[in-house]
Each structure stands twice: as structure tokens, then as C-alpha cells.
């Protein structure tokens, strides 16, 4: 039987959750015996090649591209997991939700002490994605099956959750592995 | 640039095996000649704005969420800036050495991650190898020993971070004016256990990077390469110093543009240009202007700018590296890999020295002095010089934040590399295969970009509509 596939992505996150996944250390060699990786920033598969058992989502949605990628993951994955505080509740990037967005742009591109911008331009090329009015947690955009809190969730949390899901076991994490930091 | 009807647009999206979100667009004419090639950074955060109003002591913990690959760099750069706010920049020996240990641990894990997990597939299998094996899992299948080394080296660096910062990712060790823990004897002995193995493996990794570059010099020398200026922090005696120093910039021939500049005056030397097609800004040296003032940062720049490295094995490796270019600056994009491994070895040598230093078991952790309202902190992050700059009011709230993240300084160089590889390898090809397109990404990966770091402003996209008549005169302009 073919190995089940796992896909991962980072939306409006910092890659810390992917780093925590790599913090399973040598268990990564066990993991690749259990599963094949499909679309993921750790390989060069840019488009889904087939149905995936589990999709791991890091980061919330801050722009239209994040939404498209998340919808694509929902379409191709049997189980979708929000990994980390940004995916589950927006996280640090959602601190911008209380601030008028024009102010963020002006701070970055017009007012900063090292900005050189004589024409007063703000990035707006069609090649860069439109930003959303605020940062959304993933479950407000698509159905999410499981949430793993933490900034980032510890490697053991990700490992236990992933192996449970791949073995059709209930996701029963001990108290010590549920972090809200 | 608006594509004309005969122009074809090729897109690489997302750029993979790098940190963060970027894409490459290539515009081709009817004969498939490259007209334009760009790396767009498509991510946008808002740290400079949304940290305003937060208490200053929170910032070192908050801003490291810019980047999960090198959170320690942001943690420490912000802490160094906040040291100045509390007048505690002259740290106790225990505090400075704990921070340095944390930083070298970070440098070690980040460089190992980049070399083994992200880039080795290109070097081991070839730029146009089958996409199914061109990743770290493919490396694990074909070179299991090497993959295990990469995994265990990264793990070691992460353990150093955990024992100095409290946890492996997004720790809390550095506080304004010092550090919140020392290193216990048990913790020290735990790290000493695997140290010799790490040194041996680091020598091996350096040899792989060096041999690869030397044996393939004909191929890698022109690959995405160009002359540039280089910038880094430097110690007062000219030694490489990854934690602290003054600014030095040199040109492509090695002439000094400025030297031993107090980094608190950085605004007089560095400015950033805004371009509309990338959220990432384009820094340049003020006195030279945007056309010629751009520069490289990171391992290559640091090895080029320093006079020497103060650990013996890394210094020997530096001399060997500089001999290739007759002790003139090396301007090869692919030489980043070799220099990154020189720094890997330097970092583990530094870790060794520090672990044998009894100051790490000291109890004097925090100093405070005269309160200031402005603080600037610079550090050499794995990817290059990192600038943090804050103003704090009397209520202890942040009122201004300015960040120039390492990868931002490499924005122009990465775009030059993309353009050069596109012209040399893609232009005029009848079919742009996946393997050919990976060549562009290989050039980007050499810089080890951290694209989510580099785009830390976040806000709503401004929608600007311009109504222009046939002569190009603007009739109306509406902005959101």
C-alpha cells in the first residue's frame, strides 16, 4: 500500500512551527518511513500531486494568497490541522487588527527613519498579493479539524498529534504538551 | 511592467526551500529572451507600527516572532537596543557570555539547517535533479549518514538555545540590561558531551562546501555572480565578531567605504529605497546613492570584510578561502555556501571556548544605569547585519520602531542574481523545464533568505487607481 501523504504550508507565520516540526530531530527519519511529503516548503513540490491524509497549516490569513492556499489545502487534505497560535487565533500578526492599516504602510514605507522614498510610493504591483482588512485565524476561512496551540507547539506535541492521526488513533494529548505561550 | 501581447510571463511560486514567501516572475519576448526577472517578496507584517504602545521590556520577546528560523537574532538585537534604554549596555561578563553562547548556538543551528536541510539537495543531486528526490528526504535516502549529521548538528544548536534562552524557539533569556539565567554545571556538562562530535562534523561540512566550490569552480564562478559592496559589523581590532562591533563597508575590490562606524549612527550611513513591486525595501549606502550603493551582507560579506577570525580552525579556513581570490573580496554568489560553513566551524569553536569559561556560572546577571529614550541594537544574524532601533517614552511605551532585517540588505543582490541566472541559463531556451527554473532558486538559496523576516510591515494593500489620458497625463487619482 502506498504511504499516506502529508502536506505543510506556512501562511502568515514565521516558520517557527515548521522549525518545531524539524525539532522532532532524528524522528524525522522515522516520519519519512511512515509518510510521503507532498506540497511543502521543505521540498520543491509547488502544486498538490494528489490526495493527502494530513495537512499542517502554520500561520493565519493576512492576504488573498493565504486564503487561496488554505482553500487549496482544504480541498486536497482529509484532515486539516491548525498548528500554532497564528493559525489557531491569528497570533502576533493579528496585533495589527486594532490599527488602521494605512498607518502600518505609512510607517514602513514613508515615515521610517531610514526610508528613501521621494515619490511617496507604496508597493502596489499586481504581482504582490492584496492584503486582507485584518488577520484571520484559519478556522474562520475553512473548516479546521484539529488545533494545536503554542508559539510554537513543542516538537513532541506535533509528533504525537501527527502519529495519532496517521494511525487513526484519538488525539489525546497530555496536559504538559498543551502550551499557550 | 505591463506585459505586451507578445510577452510571456513565467512564474516560480512559491520559492521553496527558503524561509518565507517569495515568488519570481520572468518576462520573455517572442524569442524567449529574458526581458525582466524579479524576486517579489509577497509578505507584509506590521511590527514597526503595532509594537508602538507596547512596554519596552516586552519587545525582545515579541519581535522575535518575525522569524522562527533565527528568533535569537531578533531577540538579541532588540535586547541590545533595550540595554541602552535602561543604561545597561555594559553587560556583566555572565550576561554577555550567556548571550554570546545563545547566539553562537543559533548561528550553528541556522547554518546547519540551511546547508543540510535546504541546500544540500541542489549540491548533491544537481540543480536539475528529479524534483521527487531533490529535498532533504531524498538526501536521507541516498546519504543517510550525512542527513543524520545535519539533523544532529541542528539539534545541538537548538539545545544550546534551549539552555540559554529557556526554549528552542522563541525563548526569553535576554532581558534589558542582561539575562535571566546562567548556565548550570549540569547544563554545561550536557552540552560538553557531544561537543567533540560536533566539531568533527563541522570540519566535514566545511570540507564538503569547499570541495564542491573548488571542484566545480568553472560552473559556480559565473553562476548568479557580480561585483558588489559588502557590509558587516567588525570588532575594534578587525576580527569577525558576530555579536557586537562597529560597521565596516568595503567595495568589490576591498577598498574601505567606511570603517569602525559606531552603529548608533547607522541612519547617517544606510537608507532604504521603496519599489512598488516588492514589499521588501532596497537598502543602500547613503553616500553612494541607490545605483551603486547597494551591498551584500551575510557569511560571504563577513568573511570579505574581516581582517581575521579569532578561532584557529576557522581562521585557517578563511585564509584558504581568501587565497582563491588573491586576498581580494570574493564576489561569487555560490561562495556563500563555503563561507557559511567557515562560520559554522567558527561558531562551534566559540561554543567550545565559552563552555570552558566559568563566567557562565556567575550570578551577576543584570545591570542598569542612566535611563535613555532611544536605543539601537545591531547584531550579525546568520543571514547578515540586523538593525533594531526604538524610541521609548517616559511611560516605558515604545513610540517608534525601525528594523532593517538581514535579508532586506540582500534584496538587490538577490534580484541581480535572479536576473543573471535567468539571462545566462533561461534566455532563448525553447522550453523552460522545472530543472531550469530551479537554477533561479539555487541562486536565491545561496543567500539563505528569510523572506518573512524581511517584510515586517503589515497593513491593507493601498488600492490606487489612476486615470491617464492618451498623452499620459494623469486626469484623476483615487487612493484607498
Amino acid at each position: 500500500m502506498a504511504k499516506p501523504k502529508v502536506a505543510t504550508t506556512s501562511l502568515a507565520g514565521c516558520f517557527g512551527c515548521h522549525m518545531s516540526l524539524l525539532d522532532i530531530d532524528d524522528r524525522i527519519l522515522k516520519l519519512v518511513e511512515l509518510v510521503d511529503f507532498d506540497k511543502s516548503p521543505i521540498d520543491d513540490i509547488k502544486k498538490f500531486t494528489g490526495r493527502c491524509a494530513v495537512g499542517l497549516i502554520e500561520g493565519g490569513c493576512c492576504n488573498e494568497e493565504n486564503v487561496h492556499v488554505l482553500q487549496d489545502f482544504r480541498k486536497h487534505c482529509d484532515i486539516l490541522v491548525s498548528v500554532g497560535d497564528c493559525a489557531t487565533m491569528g497570533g502576533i500578526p493579528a496585533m495589527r487588527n486594532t490599527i488602521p492599516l494605512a498607518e502600518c504602510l505609512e510607517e514602513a514605507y514613508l515615515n521610517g527613519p531610514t526610508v528613501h522614498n521621494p515619490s511617496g510610493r507604496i508597493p502596489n504591483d499586481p504581482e504582490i498579493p492584496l492584503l486582507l482588512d485584518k488577520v484571520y485565524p484559519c478556522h474562520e476561512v475553512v473548516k479546521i479539524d484539529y488545533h494545536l496551540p503554542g508559539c510554537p507547539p513543542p516538537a513532541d506535541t506535533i509528533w504525537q498529534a501527527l502519529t495519532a492521526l496517521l494511525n487513526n488513533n484519538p488525539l489525546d494529548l497530555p496536559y504538559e504538551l498543551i502550551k499557550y505561550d | 511592467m505591463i506585459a505586451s501581447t507578445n510577452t510571456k510571463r513565467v512564474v516560480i511560486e512559491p520559492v521553496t526551500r527558503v524561509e518565507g514567501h517569495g515568488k519570481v516572475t520572468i518576462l520573455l519576448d517572442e524569442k524567449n529572451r529574458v526581458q525582466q526577472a524579479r524576486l517579489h517578496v509577497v509578505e507584509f507584517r506590521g511590527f514597526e507600527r503595532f509594537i508602538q504602545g507596547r512596554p519596552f521590556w516586552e519587545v525582545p520577546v515579541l519581535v522575535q516572532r518575525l522569524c522562527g528560523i533565527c528568533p535569537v537574532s531578533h531577540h538579541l538585537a532588540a535586547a541590545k537596543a533595550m540595554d541602552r534604554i535602561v543604561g545597561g549596555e555594559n553587560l556583566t561578563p555572565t550576561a554577555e557570555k550567556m548571550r554570546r553562547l545563545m547566539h553562537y548556538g543559533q548561528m550553528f543551528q541556522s547554518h546547519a539547517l540551511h546547508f543540510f536541510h535546504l541546500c544540500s539537495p541542489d549540491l548533491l543531486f544537481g540543480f536539475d535533479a528529479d524534483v521527487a528526490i531533490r529535498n532533504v528526504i531524498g538526501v536521507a535516502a541516498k546519504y543517510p549518514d550525512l542527513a543524520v549529521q545535519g539533523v544532529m548538528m541542528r539539534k545541538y544548536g537548538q539545545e544550546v538555545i534551549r539552555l540559554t534562552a529557556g526554549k528552542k524557539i522563541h525563548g526569553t533569556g535576554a532581558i534589558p540590561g542582561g539575562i535571566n539565567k546562567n548556565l548550570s554545571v549540569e547544563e554545561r556538562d550536557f552540552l560538553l558531551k557531544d561537543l567533540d562530535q560536533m566539531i568533527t562534523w563541522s570540519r566535514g561540512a566545511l570540507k564538503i562546501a569547499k570541495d564542491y566550490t573548488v571542484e566545480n569552480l568553472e560552473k559556480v564562478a559565473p553562476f548568479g555572480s557580480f561585483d558588489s559592496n559588502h557590509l558587516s559589523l567588525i570588532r575594534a581590532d578587525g576580527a569577525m565578531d558576530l555579536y557586537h562591533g562597529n560597521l565596516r563597508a568595503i567595495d568589490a575590490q576591498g577598498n574601505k567605504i567606511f570603517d569602525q562606524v559606531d552603529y548608533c549612527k547607522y541612519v547617517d550611513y544606510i537608507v532604504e529605497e521603496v519599489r512598488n513591486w516588492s514589499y521588501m525595501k532596497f537598502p543602500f549606502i547613503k553616500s553612494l546613492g541607490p545605483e551603486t550603493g547597494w551591498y551584500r551582507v551575510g557569511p560571504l560579506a563577513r568573511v570579505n570584510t574581516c581582517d581575521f577570525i579569532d578561532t584557529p580552525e576557522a581562521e585557517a579556513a578563511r585564509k584558504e578561502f581568501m587565497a582563491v581570490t588573491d586576498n581580494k573580496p570574493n564576489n561569487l554568489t555560490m561562495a556563500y555556501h563555503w563561507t557559511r560553513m567557515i562560520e559554522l566551524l567558527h561558531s562551534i569553536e566559540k561554543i567550545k571556548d565559552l563552555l570552558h569559561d566559568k563566567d557562565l556560572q556567575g550570578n551577576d546577571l543584570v545591570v542598569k544605569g542612566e535611563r535613555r529614550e532611544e536605543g539601537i541594537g545591531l547584531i550579525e544574524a546568520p543571514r547578515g547585519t540586523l538593525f533594531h532601533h526604538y524610541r521609548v517614552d517616559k511611560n516605558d511605551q515604545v513610540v517608534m520602531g525601525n528594523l532593517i532585517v538581514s535579508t532586506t540588505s540582500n534584496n538587490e543582490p538577490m534580484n541581480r542574481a535572479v536576473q543573471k541566472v535567468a539571462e545566462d541559463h533561461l534566455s532563448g531556451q525553447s522550453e523552460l523545464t522545472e530543472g531550469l527554473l530551479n537554477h533561479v532558486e539555487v541562486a536565491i538559496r545561496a543567500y539563505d533568505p528569510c523572506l518573512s523576516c524581511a517584510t515586517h510591515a503589515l497593513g491593507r494593500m493601498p488600492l490606487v487607481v489612476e486615470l491617464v489620458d492618451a498623452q499620459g497625463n494623469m486626469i484623476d487619482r483615487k487612493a484607498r
Side-chain angles (χ1 to χ4, degrees), chain A residues 9 11-12 57-75 80 82 86-90 96-97 131-145 147:
Chain A
T9 189
L11 306 175
I57 311 291
E58 170 186 343
C61 292
C62 77
N63 65 32
E64 53 168 356
E65 188 218 354
N66 295 154
V67 172
H68 295 151
V69 172
L70 183 57
Q71 288 168 338
D72 203 28
F73 265 72
R74 181 68 277 180
K75 208 165 89 185
L80 216 48
S82 272
C86 297
T88 56
M89 48 194 154
R96 67 109 147 156
N97 288 358
L131 294 160
L132 303 177
D133 60 334
K134 59 176 191 147
V135 179
Y136 294 85
C138 292
H139 64 269
E140 289 188 14
V141 179
V142 300
K143 177 176 176 286
I144 295 288
D145 302 296
H147 294 83

Side-chain angles (χ1 to χ4, degrees), chain B residues 331-386:
Chain B
N331 285 290
L332 308 187
T333 284
M334 291 300 279
Y336 264 97
H337 296 293
W338 186 352
T339 51
R340 199 170 282 116
M341 292 302 99
I342 295 173
E343 289 189 347
L344 181 89
L345 186 56
H346 173 60
S347 299
I348 198 71
E349 287 184 286
K350 281 289 195 185
I351 290 170
K352 184 181 178 182
D353 290 349
L354 282 164
L355 288 177
H356 289 100
D357 191 326
K358 294 225 176 327
D359 279 343
L360 287 178
Q361 281 79 49
N363 288 312
D364 199 3
L365 304 182
V366 186
V367 283
K368 294 219 164 126
E370 195 185 336
R371 178 73 155 71
R372 295 193 190 92
E373 297 205 338
E374 187 163 19
I376 294 170
L378 267 69
I379 200 164
E380 284 295 330
R383 292 153 188 81
T385 317
L386 170 63

Side-chain angles (χ1 to χ4, degrees), chain B residues 296-309:
Chain B
R296 282 173 168 134
V297 296
L300 179 68
R302 288 191 287 250
V303 171
N304 279 331
T305 52
C306 77
D307 300 330
F308 67 100
I309 300 178

